[in-house]
Each structure stands twice: as structure tokens, then as C-alpha cells.
């Protein structure tokens, strides 16, 4: 039986969490803090520092130790005058807080892209991006706008971009199922409005507006509904946590998404057969990664795992892995700096006092 909201609960949800006015305010609050620094007459060096200082509001910079990259991977000319800033992004899920996250996300990508294009002394390089749940959608959009040409301002202004279009013009009334839906008897929301937005994203990828040769490893966390049983050193363990590693790349000015082969790892990675030719498979993975239990239906994916092809159901990747940091590090070990984006307002949460308690044997 599908869960329902009472009239009072629905009204409360509309007014507090999912109204388009709320999403718009959240968006403006986060784009404004970065856009203001862009309009001031300060140097690019100071702009760059200001961006990262402002990110501490919702992002934590994590230093990670990764193995030295193979010598043959280095294709940049060594120029002591240019400071290369290699970074990766880890974007958590946050349900409706994806709107809050997306505003900051777009502004940061916009500013760093302009620095990369116009500044001769600083060279920011997005090495990889990984997301879970709503963060998976923003991860794809981040890769798209990082690779989009600055000379093509198509849908790349404060209130005309796909981050804004996807999150701001979306309220709970757009998601609620009206009447009887014979195809959905178990969840509260429909994906009809989300599918329309996904179609716009895929259409955007088909336009010849991207920098030739741009290539961003990216990946999305997903959770398998039925666990698999793996044997590790003679011990059988159950696992439901998986990731889908991909690469966003540009060919003939248009975007293309391909499976990425990963190095041996303790993580569990899936491939999606045919994703290179069919953007609808990208949509399926995004919907699977953001299929919050009870809210949205499970998504059936056709995937490859350990040389075999399966077809099974998946739900929200944030259920077990809302911070896919390992995925980001393994997508491209060259990166040393990680930007962790979490839409939760943790600054207002009370601090937990740690007390020393002597443990006694049972």
C-alpha cells in the first residue's frame, strides 16, 4: 500500500521543505556569496582564495594520500610560473537540500572555470567527481559545466542553468501522485517531473558546446536491494553497497559517457552495458542512486559485475554510502585535494560532549 500524507502534513511539507520559494531562496543565498566576489575588483589569486574560504560553510577540504601517478599519465608541460590546483569533489545526498547544495555547486564550478580560462598563474584541474543520492545528479552537472566552453554562455548564468532548472522549479506538488497509479502502489512520489528534467539534461549534453578533449572521471553510489554474498579469506559476507564508475568525455564538441575500468579495490564496482550509446541508461543510474526508500520506486538496472551481466533492483546510494570518498580517490589517484560538499547545516547541531567512561568486562 502506498504511504499517504494527511492534508495538514502535506500543507506543512509544502510550506516548510519543498516550496519553490524556499528552493529559490536557498539557491540565491549560495550563489550570491560567490557571485559577489566575482564582481569586485580583486585579483584572480584573491578570488581563488575567497572561494575556498567561503566553501567552509558547507564543504570540508580533505587531504588524502594517494599513490604516485604513473609517469606516462603526466601530459602537462612543467611551468614553474603556473600553480596547478588538482582537486576532486565528493557530493553527498541531501533529499530536498539538493537545491541548497546545487546553488553553491554551480557558483563554485563557474568561478573556478573562469579562473582556469582567464588566469595565467593558477590552473585548477577537476580530477574526479563522485556523488550519492541527490549528489549524483549534481555530480553529473558539475562535470558538464566544467567541460562547457566559457565562450558559450548557453544556460550558464545565475538563474538560467541546469542546476537551477533541476532543483528550484520543483515542489512537492510536482512529485505527489494524483489519483490512482496502476504502476506505483508502494511509494509516495512519482518521477514524471524528474524525468522531464532528466530529458533536458541529456539534451544539453547533446549540444556542441564542450571543450574538445575534456575528460572527467565520475561515479555514483547505489545500493542493491538484495545483497550479494561474497567470500573473503574464507568468510562469507553480504554486501549491498556498489558504485558505478564512469567517465564524462567530449568528442566532436558533444558530451559522451563511458564506463571506466577501475584498478583492483576493496570496493564493489559495476559497469552499465550500452551506456555509451544510450543516455537513458545514465538517467536510470541517476534515478537508482537517488531512489530514497518509500519516496521513489526502486530502479532495475542491467549491469555488469565480475564478467557477468545481471538485471536487478537498486535504491538510494546514500543508504550505505552517502560520502563516496573512496570512489573519488580511486576514480583518479592523481588528485590530492578533495572538496567535500554536504548540504546539512551541521554548524547548528549541538556538540556532543565526550566523557571518559571506564569500560568493565561483562
Amino acid at each position: 500500500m502506498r504511504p499517504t500524507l494527511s492534508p495538514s502534513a502535506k500543507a506543512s511539507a509544502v510550506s516548510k521543505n519543498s516550496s519553490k520559494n524556499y528552493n529559490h531562496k536557498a539557491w540565491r543565498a549560495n550563489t550570491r556569496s560567490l557571485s559577489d566576489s566575482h564582481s569586485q575588483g580583486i585579483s584572480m589569486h584573491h578570488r581563488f582564495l575567497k572561494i575556498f574560504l567561503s566553501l567552509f560553510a558547507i564543504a570540508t577540504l580533505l587531504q588524502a594520500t594517494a599513490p604516485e601517478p604513473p609517469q606516462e599519465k603526466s601530459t602537462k608541460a612543467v611551468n614553474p610560473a603556473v600553480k596547478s590546483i588538482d582537486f576532486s569533489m565528493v557530493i553527498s545526498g541531501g533529499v530536498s537540500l539538493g537545491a541548497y547544495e546545487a546553488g553553491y555547486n554551480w557558483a563554485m564550478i563557474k568561478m573556478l572555470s573562469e579562473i582556469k580560462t582567464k588566469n595565467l598563474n593558477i590552473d585548477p584541474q577537476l580530477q574526479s567527481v563522485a556523488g550519492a543520492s541527490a549528489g549524483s545528479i549534481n555530480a553529473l552537472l558539475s562535470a558538464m559545466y566544467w567541460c562547457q566552453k566559457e565562450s558559450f554562455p548557453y544556460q550558464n548564468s545565475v538563474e538560467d542553468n541546469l542546476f537551477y532548472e533541476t532543483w528550484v522549479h520543483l515542489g512537492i506538488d510536482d512529485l505527489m501522485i494524483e489519483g490512482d497509479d496502476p504502476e506505483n502502489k508502494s511509494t509516495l512520489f512519482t518521477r514524471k517531473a524528474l524525468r522531464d528534467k532528466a530529458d533536458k539534461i541529456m539534451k544539453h549534453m547533446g549540444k556542441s558546446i564542450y571543450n574538445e578533449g575534456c575528460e572527467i572521471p565520475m561515479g555514483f553510489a547505489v545500493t542493491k536491494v538484495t545483497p550479494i554474498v561474497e567470500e573473503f579469506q574464507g568468510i562469507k559476507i553480504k554486501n549491498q553497497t556498489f558504485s558505478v564508475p564512469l567517465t564524462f568525455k567530449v568528442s566532436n564538441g558533444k558530451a559522451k559517457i563511458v564506463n571506466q575500468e577501475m584498478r583492483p579495490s576493496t570496493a564493489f564496482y559495476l559497469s552499465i552495458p550500452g551506456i555509451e550509446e544510450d543516455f537513458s541508461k545514465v538517467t536510470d543510474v541517476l534515478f537508482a542512486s537517488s531512489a530514497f526508500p518509500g519516496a521513489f520506486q526502486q530502479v532495475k538496472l542491467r549491469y555488469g559485475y565480475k564478467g557477468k551481466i545481471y538485471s536487478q533492483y537498486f535504491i538510494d546510494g546514500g543508504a550505505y554510502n552517502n560520502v563516496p570518498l573512496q570512489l573519488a580517490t580511486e576514480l583518479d589517484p592523481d588528485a590530492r585535494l578533495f572538496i567535500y560538499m554536504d548540504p546539512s547545516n551541521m554548524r547548528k547541531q549541538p556538540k556532543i560532549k565526550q566523557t571518559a567512561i571506564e569500560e568493565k568486562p561483562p
Side-chain angles (χ1 to χ4, degrees), residues 1 3 10 33 74 80 121-122 125 142 157 182 184 192 194 271:
M1 180 180 295
K10 181 176 179 180
S33 63
S74 180
N121 299 314
I122 296 177
Q125 293 289 335
S142 295
S157 60
N184 186 355
K192 184 177 180 181
L194 293 175
S271 62

Side-chain angles (χ1 to χ4, degrees), residues 288-337:
S289 181
S290 56
F292 193 81
F296 295 105
Q297 285 183 300
Q298 304 169 2
V299 177
K300 195 172 190 178
L301 295 179
R302 184 172 181 269
Y303 64 94
Y305 181 65
K306 292 189 174 181
K308 295 183 179 180
I309 302 298
Y310 302 88
S311 183
Q312 294 174 334
Y313 286 95
F314 289 82
I315 58 172
D316 199 304
Y320 285 103
N321 187 17
N322 203 37
V323 186
L325 179 59
Q326 181 179 0
L327 173 59
T329 61
E330 294 186 357
L331 279 167
D332 196 318
D334 292 354
R336 295 293 185 271
L337 183 66

Side-chain angles (χ1 to χ4, degrees), residues 33-34 37 42 44-61 104 108 111-112 115 337 339-340 347:
S33 63
L34 293 183
S37 68
I42 56 179
M44 280 294 190
H45 289 79
H46 290 163
R47 287 181 193 171
F48 185 83
L49 292 175
K50 192 166 185 177
I51 291 169
F52 278 94
L53 287 174
S54 62
L55 281 175
F56 277 98
I58 60 171
T60 302
L61 298 181
Y104 218 100
M108 184 187 68
M111 291 289 289
L112 293 179
I115 290 173
L337 183 66
I339 300 175
Y340 166 44
R347 290 174 296 166

Side-chain angles (χ1 to χ4, degrees), residues 9-22:
K10 181 176 179 180
S12 175
V14 171
S15 62
K16 291 183 180 179
N17 297 324
S18 301
S19 71
K20 297 172 186 178
N21 287 336
Y22 171 82

Side-chain angles (χ1 to χ4, degrees), residues 45-220:
H45 289 79
H46 290 163
R47 287 181 193 171
F48 185 83
L49 292 175
K50 192 166 185 177
I51 291 169
F52 278 94
L53 287 174
S54 62
L55 281 175
F56 277 98
I58 60 171
T60 302
L61 298 181
L62 303 177
Q63 293 289 348
T65 302
E68 289 298 322
Q71 293 297 320
E72 63 271 19
K73 286 194 70 176
S74 180
T75 57
K76 290 183 182 178
V78 178
N79 185 348
V82 178
K83 183 174 178 58
S84 179
I85 308 293
D86 293 346
F87 68 98
S88 290
M89 295 176 62
V90 182
I91 310 176
S92 295
V95 197
S96 61
L97 289 176
Y100 180 91
E101 180 182 74
Y104 218 100
N105 213 155
W106 173 81
M108 184 187 68
I109 291 292
K110 176 72 171 175
M111 291 289 289
L112 293 179
S113 295
E114 290 191 2
I115 290 173
K116 177 178 175 61
T117 302
K118 300 175 182 178
N119 191 278
L120 300 178
N121 299 314
I122 296 177
D123 184 26
Q125 293 289 335
L126 178 58
Q127 296 288 78
S128 66
V129 56
S133 193
S136 292
I137 299 171
N138 289 336
L140 172 61
L141 294 176
S142 295
M144 290 170 60
Y145 277 100
W146 183 260
C147 288
Q148 183 168 320
K149 294 179 180 178
E150 277 295 318
S151 57
F152 283 81
Y154 178 76
Q155 283 195 293
N156 200 9
S157 60
V158 173
E159 293 185 7
D160 181 22
N161 62 77
L162 288 176
F163 285 100
Y164 185 92
E165 173 65 28
T166 300
W167 291 105
V168 175
H169 297 298
L170 184 68
I172 196 170
D173 50 326
D174 299 311
L175 301 175
M176 291 296 296
I177 298 174
E178 298 294 339
D180 183 56
D181 184 351
E183 296 182 359
N184 186 355
K185 298 291 186 181
S186 60
T187 64
L188 188 63
F189 298 139
T190 174
R191 286 196 181 93
K192 184 177 180 181
L194 293 175
R195 193 165 293 280
D196 291 341
K197 293 178 181 295
D199 289 343
K200 291 181 180 179
I201 294 173
M202 302 308 146
K203 185 177 180 181
H204 193 99
M205 286 200 295
K207 295 185 178 295
S208 300
I209 57 175
Y210 299 97
N211 288 303
E212 192 66 32
C214 185
E215 190 169 308
I216 307 294
M218 66 178 184
F220 313 129

